[in-house]
C-alpha cells in the first residue's frame, strides 16, 4: 500500500496545533505496518531549512487558471521514510503557517497540486492520497475531477480526514479558483459551501474519516454539522471515526526531558516533586495538598476557557490553584489575564505557546480542565492521562471516547454532559471531594496511566479504509491492481 499523506503541518518540522502531532506520528505507525507512506508538507517560512538536510527532488509546474506556477520539491531524510517539502513563491511569501483566507487557499491549492506533480515527476504512484483538513482537500477534488483523465492518476483512491469541521477554508473560493478548482453544483451542499475547499473535498473524497468515533456521529447532526450534516449523513457509509493516538515514546513521564523529575505508574509518589517544581517555577504557594488545576489550550471559544473561569469563580470557597497556558483569541486572552490578576494568590496565566512548560503542567498539575464545546479528538486529555493528571472534560467527541467517568469502577476522570459553567462547577466539587481521598485518587491516576493510546490500533483502522478507498477507485476506473 502506497500512501501520499498531505498535511499543512507536522512535527518535528512545524507545529501550530494537534494536527501537527497527528501528521508527525501517524505516518510512522502506518510504515510500521509495512506501508510506503510519503508525507508532504509546504516548506513554510517557519521551518528552519538550515537545520534540515534537504535534497532537491523535482522542479514542477502547476497549471493555474492563467499562469504556470513553478515549484520545487525537496526531500528531508527522516529516519523512517522520506518527507517531501514543497517550495514556491506562494509558500515562501506567507509569513505564517496560516494567514488570510484567500492567500491561504491559493497557497494550499498550489501545495496540493505541486505535491501531485511531484509524484508524477518521480514516477511514484500512490494507491491512495490521504488529505488532512481543508488545506489538503484540493488534492482530493483535483483527483476526482481531473485525475480520471490522467493515465497516471486514474484509479487512485482518496481519503479526507476532518480534524476540525468548522475550519472549512472560508473565504478561500477565489484562491482555489486561481488553480482551476471551481465550485460544485452538488445539491447535497448548501450554496454557501459549494466553493469552499473542505465541503468540496467532502463531496468528492472516496472515504471521509474524522478523528474519533463520537465526533463522526456528532457531525452528522445539526448542532455539530456546521450546515454540512445533510451531506455527511448521506455519505455515512463512507464516513468513519478513528481515534488519534499518542506516540508513547514522545509522551512519557519517565523520560520527558522537560521534567525535573521522572516518574511512572509504579513510583507515582515522585510526581509530587514535579508539582512542587511547577508551583515554585510559577511563584504559586507551594502547598502540596492544594490541588493544581491545569489548562493547556488554544484560546478559542471551542475550548470553553470562559466556562472554566466562570466555574472557578463559583468554587472560590474550595482550595485550588489554576495554571492556564494558552494563546489565541484577544478577548479570551484579556479575560484570562483579568482572572489571574483578580486571584494572584492562586492563579497564573501564561500567555504563549510553550511545549516544555506544557509538559510540566501535564506532569505536575493534579487535574486538567477541558470543558470544550466540541472536540473532534483532543490530545491534551490523552497526554494528561499518560502523565497521571486527571482530566475533567465535557462529554463530547474524542473526550467522550477517551475519558471514563469516575462514577464507575473503570473511571479515569470526570465527565460533564452540558457545556455550562454550572455543570463544570459541580464536576469540580465532585473532583475535589474525590481528591481529598488520596487512595481513591491514586486509583484514578493509575488507571489513566495504564490506558493504551498508541497509534498501532488506529493505523490498522486507517489501513482498512485505505484498502477500501483504493479498491473502490480501481473498480470505478476499471483498472486492475
Ligand atoms: P487542538 O484543537 O488545538 O488541535 P488538541 O488537544 O488536539 O487541540 O492538541 C493540542 C496540542 O497542542 C497538544 O499537543 C498540546 O500540548 C499543544 N498545545 C496547545 N496549546 C499549547 C500552548 N499554549 N503551549 C504549548 N503547547 C500547547
Amino acid at each position: 500500500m502506497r500512501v501520499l499523506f498531505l498535511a499543512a503541518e507536522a512535527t518535528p518540522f512545524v507545529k501550530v496545533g494537534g494536527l501537527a502531532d497527528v501528521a508527525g506520528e501517524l505516518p510512522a505507525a502506518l510504515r510500521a505496518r509495512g506501508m510506503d507512506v510519503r508525507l508532504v508538507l509546504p516548506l513554510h517560512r517557519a521551518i528552519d531549512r538550515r537545520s534540515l538536510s534537504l535534497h532537491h527532488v523535482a522542479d514542477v509546474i502547476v497549471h493555474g487558471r492563467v499562469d504556470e506556477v513553478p515549484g520545487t520539491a525537496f526531500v528531508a531524510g527522516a529516519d523512517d521514510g522520506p518527507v517531501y517539502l514543497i517550495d514556491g513563491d506562494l509558500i515562501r511569501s506567507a509569513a505564517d503557517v496560516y494567514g488570510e483566507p484567500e492567500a491561504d487557499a491559493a497557497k494550499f491549492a498550489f501545495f496540493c497540486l505541486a505535491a501531485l506533480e511531484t509524484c508524477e515527476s518521480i514516477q511514484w504512484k500512490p494507491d491512495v492520497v490521504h488529505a488532512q483538513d481543508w488545506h489538503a482537500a484540493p488534492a482530493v477534488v483535483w483527483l476526482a475531477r481531473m485525475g480520471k483523465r490522467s493515465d497516471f492518476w486514474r484509479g487512485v483512491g482518496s481519503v479526507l480526514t476532518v480534524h476540525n469541521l468548522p475550519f472549512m477554508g472560508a473565504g478561500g473560493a477565489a484562491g482555489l479558483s486561481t488553480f482551476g478548482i471551481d465550485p460544485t453544483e452538488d445539491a447535497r451542499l448548501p450554496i454557501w459551501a459549494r466553493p469552499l475547499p473542505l465541503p468540496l473535498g467532502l463531496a468528492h473524497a472516496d472515504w471521509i474519516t474524522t478523528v474519533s468515533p463520537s465526533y463522526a456521529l456528532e457531525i452528522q447532526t445539526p448542532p455539530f454539522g456546521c450546515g454540512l450534516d445533510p451531506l455527511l449523513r448521506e455519505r455515512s457509509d463512507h464516513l468513519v471515526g478513528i481515534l488519534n493516538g499518542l506516540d508513547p515514546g514522545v509522551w512519557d513521564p519517565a523520560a520527558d526531558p522537560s521534567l525535573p523529575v521522572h516518574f511512572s505508574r509504579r513510583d507515582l509518589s515522585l510526581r509530587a516533586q514535579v508539582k512542587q517544581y511547577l508551583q515554585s517555577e510559577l511563584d504559586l504557594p507551594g502547598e502540596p495538598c492544594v490541588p493544581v488545576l491545569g489548562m493547556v489550550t488554544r484560546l478559542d471559544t471551542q475550548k470553553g476557557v470562559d466556562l472554566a473561569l466562570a466555574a472557578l469563580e463559583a468554587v472560590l470557597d474550595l482550595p485550588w490553584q489554576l495554571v492556564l497556558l494558552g494563546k489565541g483569541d484577544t478577548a479570551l486572552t484579556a479575560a484570562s489575564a483579568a482572572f489571574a490578576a483578580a486571584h494572584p494568590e492562586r492563579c497564573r496565566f501564561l500567555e504563549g505557546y510553550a511545549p516544555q512548560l506544557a509538559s510540566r503542567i501535564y506532569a505536575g498539575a493534579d487535574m486538567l480542565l477541558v470543558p470544550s464545546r466540541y472536540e473532534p479528538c483532543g490530545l491534551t486529555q490523552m497526554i494528561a492521562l499518560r502523565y497521571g493528571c486527571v482530566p475533567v472534560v465535557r462529554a463530547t467527541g474524542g473526550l467522550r471516547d477517551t475519558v471514563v467517568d469516575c462514577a464507575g469502577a473503570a473511571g479515569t476522570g470526570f465527565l460533564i454532559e452540558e457545556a455550562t459553567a454550572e455543570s463544570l462547577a459541580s464536576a469540580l466539587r465532585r473532583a475535589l471531594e474525590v481528591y481529598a481521598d488520596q487512595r481513591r485518587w491514586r486509583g484514578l491516576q493509575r488507571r489513566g496511566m495504564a490506558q493504551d493510546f498508541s497509534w498501532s490500533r488506529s493505523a490498522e483502522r486507517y489501513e482498512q479504509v485505505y484498502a477500501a478507498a483504493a479498491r473502490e477507485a480501481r473498480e470505478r476506473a476499471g483498472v486492475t491492481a
Side-chain angles (χ1 to χ4, degrees):
M1 179 68 69
R2 286 189 279 200
V3 182
L4 181 69
F5 195 104
L6 303 177
E9 48 174 303
T11 55
F13 299 93
V14 61
K15 170 165 167 172
V16 178
L19 171 61
D21 295 311
V22 176
E25 294 170 13
L26 174 57
L30 295 167
R31 288 186 194 116
R33 297 187 62 78
M35 292 180 251
D36 179 359
V37 181
R38 311 227 173 156
L39 169 65
V40 193
L41 301 169
L43 185 48
H44 298 290
R45 265 210 234 167
I47 295 178
D48 180 8
R49 301 172 182 230
R50 281 163 309 177
S51 69
L52 302 169
S53 64
L54 292 180
H55 298 285
H56 178 271
V57 170
D59 290 316
V60 295
I61 296 289
V62 173
H63 303 281
R65 189 178 292 287
V66 181
D67 301 318
E68 305 221 301
V69 188
T72 308
F74 295 95
V75 66
D79 292 345
D80 61 345
V83 177
Y84 299 116
L85 295 135
I86 303 290
D87 194 13
D89 280 348
L90 288 168
I91 294 169
R92 210 171 317 134
S93 60
D96 296 314
V97 174
Y98 306 114
E100 290 306 311
E102 190 176 328
D104 268 7
K107 173 175 86 172
F108 287 116
F110 166 77
F111 157 68
C112 291
L113 302 186
L116 298 179
E117 288 287 343
T118 301
C119 291
E120 251 190 281
S121 172
I122 61 172
Q123 287 293 300
W124 182 80
K125 180 174 174 168
D127 298 294
V128 173
V129 173
H130 184 180
Q132 315 303 312
D133 272 347
W134 77 259
H135 326 99
V140 165
V141 182
W142 187 93
L143 268 184
R145 290 181 176 172
M146 312 297 285
K148 58 184 172 221
R149 290 185 223 154
S150 145
D151 284 343
F152 187 82
W153 290 106
R154 196 178 309 117
V156 173
S158 65
V159 177
L160 175 60
T161 296
V162 179
H163 294 265
N164 199 333
L165 188 65
F167 293 82
M168 298 182 196
L176 284 196
S177 172
T178 316
F179 287 97
I181 297 176
D182 293 327
T184 176
E185 308 266 296
D186 195 324
R188 298 173 301 177
L189 285 172
I191 289 172
W192 59 262
R194 293 183 193 173
L196 300 183
L198 187 72
L200 277 170
L202 295 172
H204 284 293
D206 290 322
W207 275 79
I208 300 166
T209 74
T210 186
V211 288
S212 68
S214 288
Y215 194 58
L217 295 175
E218 286 171 351
I219 58 176
Q220 296 177 51
T221 66
F224 295 92
C226 306
L228 307 183
D229 45 294
L231 172 87
L232 294 167
R233 278 197 298 280
E234 203 274 325
R235 298 220 56 196
S236 61
D237 58 342
H238 281 72
L239 165 60
V240 291
I242 304 177
L243 201 62
N244 284 334
L246 275 186
D247 183 338
V250 172
W251 301 106
D252 180 5
D256 186 330
S258 311
L259 305 185
V261 177
H262 293 118
F263 59 91
S264 69
R265 261 175 86 210
R266 274 170 288 279
D267 45 21
L268 252 182
S269 54
L270 292 174
R271 201 176 181 279
Q273 294 179 35
V274 188
K275 173 171 173 177
Q276 199 178 22
Y277 184 96
L278 183 70
Q279 286 171 317
S280 129
E281 165 181 29
L282 301 177
D283 201 21
L284 278 167
E287 295 170 33
C289 297
V290 172
V292 172
L293 316 180
M295 292 187 84
V296 177
T297 183
R298 280 186 293 117
L299 296 177
D300 185 290
T301 320
Q302 175 195 343
K303 301 290 184 178
V305 177
D306 53 326
L307 303 178
L309 301 182
L312 289 168
E313 285 284 3
V315 295
L316 284 172
D317 55 309
L318 297 176
W320 52 261
Q321 296 176 346
L322 174 71
V323 178
L324 165 54
L325 169 63
K327 189 176 167 193
D329 178 83
T330 324
L332 287 172
T333 305
S336 305
F339 186 88
H343 305 288
E345 73 298 346
R346 50 159 78 185
C347 175
R348 294 291 175 269
F349 167 51
L350 296 311
E351 188 194 353
Y353 189 84
Q356 296 183 349
L357 175 60
S359 275
R360 290 195 288 280
I361 296 174
Y362 297 126
D366 297 288
M367 300 174 211
L368 189 83
L369 309 187
V370 197
S372 302
R373 292 189 162 84
Y374 73 94
E375 194 61 74
C377 178
L379 294 174
T380 59
Q381 83 283 7
M382 292 198 270
I383 304 170
L385 285 166
R386 291 268 307 149
Y387 281 60
C389 180
V390 174
V392 180
V393 307
R394 164 94 196 284
T396 185
L399 297 170
R400 186 193 282 285
D401 295 338
T402 51
V403 179
V404 181
D405 192 86
C406 96
T412 55
F414 298 83
L415 291 175
I416 57 167
E417 285 298 327
E418 300 297 323
T420 61
E422 293 71 37
S423 335
L424 180 58
S426 67
L428 284 172
R429 286 192 185 280
R430 195 154 65 93
L432 293 172
E433 233 177 82
V434 179
Y435 181 80
D437 177 352
Q438 275 293 304
R439 250 171 59 97
R440 206 171 151 203
W441 194 259
R442 281 279 155 90
L444 268 181
Q445 288 178 299
R446 289 216 171 86
R447 277 193 298 279
M449 294 178 86
Q451 302 295 305
D452 175 12
F453 293 123
S454 63
W455 274 107
S456 49
R457 214 171 339 161
S458 314
E460 191 180 338
R461 295 285 292 119
Y462 276 107
E463 189 172 15
Q464 291 161 354
V465 174
Y466 294 158
R471 189 185 60 248
E472 289 168 16
R474 279 198 302 269
E475 282 169 7
R476 203 174 45 241
V479 294
T480 45

